Amino acid sequence: MTETYELDLCIMLLCASFLRLDASSRPTDEHIRAILFPVDKEEPKVIWLHCEWKEEEFEGSFQLCKVESFLGHDARARVIPVLYNPIMRRQLPDTIEICYSETFLAEGSNPNKSIAAILATKPEQHHDWRGPIIAYGKEGLGVNQPFCRDLDMTDFRQVADYFLSYKYSPTPGLQPFLGLKIKGVRINCIGDQELFDKRQFEAVEIPLTDSIFTKHDTSDIAKRIGLPIFTRCYPPSPSWVNNQDNKIFKGKIAFSNRDASFLHLCCDPNAKFEQSTGRSGWGSTSMQWQNSVGSVLVARQDKKPLFPSHVEALCKYCRYQISPLMAHSHGEYAPEEPMEKDAVLSMICRPTFVIFWHKLLHAKIKEEGWEEYNTPYPYDI
């Protein structure tokens, strides 16, 4: 009872700090509400943390937290993602990252009094936290989430539980979550197929911490047939990205991944292609899926197992069954009267995919044998 009272008192003290830092005092849109655990005070402090927007060619947009002014400009910042509360025995709704200087012992940093005040609510042997420490939020659940968010009082309780439970594991916030994986598929581009002798459709295991579950693209066609998926591009391999004139590619573009591109045909009949933004229009793909695609990761949105034969069938259905129908609606089969878009959409459905699936499956079994394609029916999983 005393332990709970003391921790609740700590929460009440921080609550006052939250009230003093309301949204109207936010310096810029790039600042988020974070929690600083100072070395020399027993009370944590709510702060505005600058999270600068960055843009990388392959990683896309993300926010970089500027922690130097709090940890020290010479500090070597280390980040621990917290995804699970071992005291409450439940997964967090969003990631919390705890950042500190990994060289605090060499720097001779003093013990952190504000964390010691939290640990004092449970009088046992705890980790010796030293130097200033910052906790801040990330949108979504996973490692290396790109976008930051404000922390609230519920998040503070999660952080307090993390510090209280740290002695049981080197990384208690992450360990119970890391072992969970699902079956997914990697669609290898020409570069990875030719240079590393990989199959076009490769079975992979995807950790639930993978960014595909928070930062992804989707497939309109897969959704319409009742098999919604997430997709994301892999960074290109340095082994071929700067060696694309290699004769092994036989004149092909190493980044090329045509089947993965066709997965992303737009099914919105009102969408218009925008050159300035690269946004896709009806029956086409966005610029992202036309240029420098590379290898692509695919997972089911419901996190059920996904097999290479499923993705191969879906890709080829999009490319050879649906793409010609969309081309017809664009008038590419003149002098025939173009199909109405609604007619095309009516044909993008589960029954037409099932027919295509069985035709492809029978052809593959005849060509490569039953054992190679003895996988579950996509809708039975």
Side-chain angles (χ1 to χ4, degrees):
M1 182 71 177
T2 302
E3 296 170 8
T4 302
Y5 172 78
E6 290 177 351
L7 183 55
D8 287 343
L9 180 60
C10 186
I11 292 173
M12 289 174 61
L13 292 172
L14 187 65
C15 186
S17 183
F18 266 96
L19 293 174
R20 289 193 296 269
L21 206 73
D22 61 25
S24 63
S25 64
R26 191 187 306 270
T28 71
D29 289 341
E30 291 189 341
H31 284 75
I32 62 166
R33 189 185 291 114
I35 301 174
L36 171 66
F37 296 89
V39 172
D40 54 353
K41 295 182 179 179
E42 293 188 355
E43 297 176 19
K45 181 181 180 182
V46 183
I47 60 169
W48 291 120
L49 178 64
H50 185 203
C51 299
E52 184 180 7
W53 282 102
K54 294 285 187 179
E55 184 78 29
E56 297 290 344
E57 182 177 0
F58 300 114
E59 295 183 7
S61 300
F62 64 95
Q63 287 182 277
L64 181 65
C65 296
K66 311 294 285 184
V67 298
E68 299 86 357
S69 59
F70 299 101
L71 301 187
H73 291 282
D74 296 327
R76 290 171 54 186
R78 182 186 177 192
V79 175
I80 300 176
V82 180
L83 315 174
Y84 181 85
N85 187 319
I87 293 178
M88 303 295 291
R89 296 184 181 179
R90 65 188 180 198
Q91 179 180 302
L92 272 60
D94 293 282
T95 301
I96 299 172
E97 292 191 346
I98 294 176
C99 184
Y100 65 95
S101 174
E102 65 178 358
T103 56
F104 63 83
L105 288 177
E107 295 166 355
S109 299
N110 293 323
N112 189 297
K113 290 184 177 180
S114 54
I115 295 179
I118 295 173
L119 301 181
T121 64
K122 191 175 182 180
E124 296 181 26
Q125 185 176 354
H126 294 284
H127 182 73
D128 182 20
W129 295 95
R130 290 174 177 262
I133 295 172
I134 298 175
Y136 51 86
K138 290 295 190 82
E139 293 182 6
L141 198 64
V143 180
N144 297 325
Q145 297 297 100
F147 307 130
C148 298
R149 65 176 179 88
D150 286 339
L151 290 186
D152 56 26
M153 290 304 302
T154 300
D155 292 310
F156 173 71
R157 184 60 193 244
Q158 308 284 12
V159 174
D161 284 349
Y162 173 84
F163 289 134
L164 289 167
S165 63
Y166 188 85
K167 70 171 188 174
Y168 298 110
S169 168
T171 53
L174 181 61
Q175 189 173 4
F177 201 66
L178 279 179
L180 302 178
K181 296 181 180 181
I182 66 167
K183 293 182 182 296
V185 176
R186 175 177 173 138
I187 310 174
N188 285 303
C189 63
I190 295 296
D192 287 335
Q193 288 182 59
E194 298 295 339
L195 199 61
F196 303 118
D197 195 28
K198 286 181 173 288
R199 294 187 172 198
Q200 183 182 6
F201 300 96
E202 177 186 6
V204 295
E205 288 194 333
I206 308 174
L208 289 182
T209 54
D210 193 285
S211 61
I212 193 172
F213 298 111
T214 52
K215 185 182 181 183
H216 49 247
D217 211 330
T218 58
S219 167
D220 289 353
I221 295 175
K223 182 179 179 179
R224 289 188 66 86
I225 66 172
L227 294 172
I229 58 173
F230 292 138
T231 63
R232 73 164 176 84
C233 294
Y234 282 99
S237 170
S239 299
W240 56 257
V241 72
N242 297 316
N243 189 27
Q244 297 189 58
D245 294 330
N246 194 315
K247 293 182 180 179
I248 196 172
F249 299 132
K250 303 173 184 177
K252 299 176 182 177
I253 300 173
F255 275 101
S256 180
N257 198 336
R258 297 273 288 161
D259 280 341
S261 295
F262 278 97
L263 267 180
H264 299 87
L265 291 172
C266 175
C267 290
D268 182 354
N270 300 314
K272 304 293 183 183
F273 178 75
E274 296 179 4
Q275 183 69 37
S276 59
T277 62
R279 182 181 176 183
S280 63
W282 161 260
S284 65
T285 62
S286 65
M287 294 301 294
Q288 173 192 351
W289 293 106
Q290 295 180 30
N291 302 320
S292 302
V293 175
S295 294
V296 173
L297 181 64
V298 187
R300 284 180 58 145
Q301 291 188 20
D302 58 13
K303 298 183 175 65
K304 292 182 179 180
L306 186 65
F307 294 86
S309 57
H310 298 168
V311 177
E312 180 178 6
L314 181 56
C315 287
K316 294 189 180 332
Y317 173 76
C318 295
R319 183 172 183 177
Y320 299 113
Q321 188 90 358
I322 303 306
S323 179
L325 298 176
M326 291 178 158
H328 196 293
S329 74
H330 280 296
E332 293 184 20
Y333 288 83
E336 290 294 314
E337 185 72 20
M339 292 179 65
E340 295 290 337
K341 293 178 182 178
D342 286 344
V344 175
L345 289 173
S346 70
M347 299 179 72
I348 307 174
C349 57
R350 176 170 170 166
T352 60
F353 175 72
V354 169
I355 293 170
F356 186 88
W357 159 263
H358 283 288
K359 288 173 62 177
L360 179 66
L361 191 64
H362 291 157
K364 288 291 185 179
I365 291 172
K366 185 176 180 180
E367 179 183 344
E368 302 182 34
W370 171 254
E371 291 184 0
E372 190 70 22
Y373 281 86
N374 185 17
T375 53
Y377 181 55
Y379 295 101
D380 282 348
I381 298 174

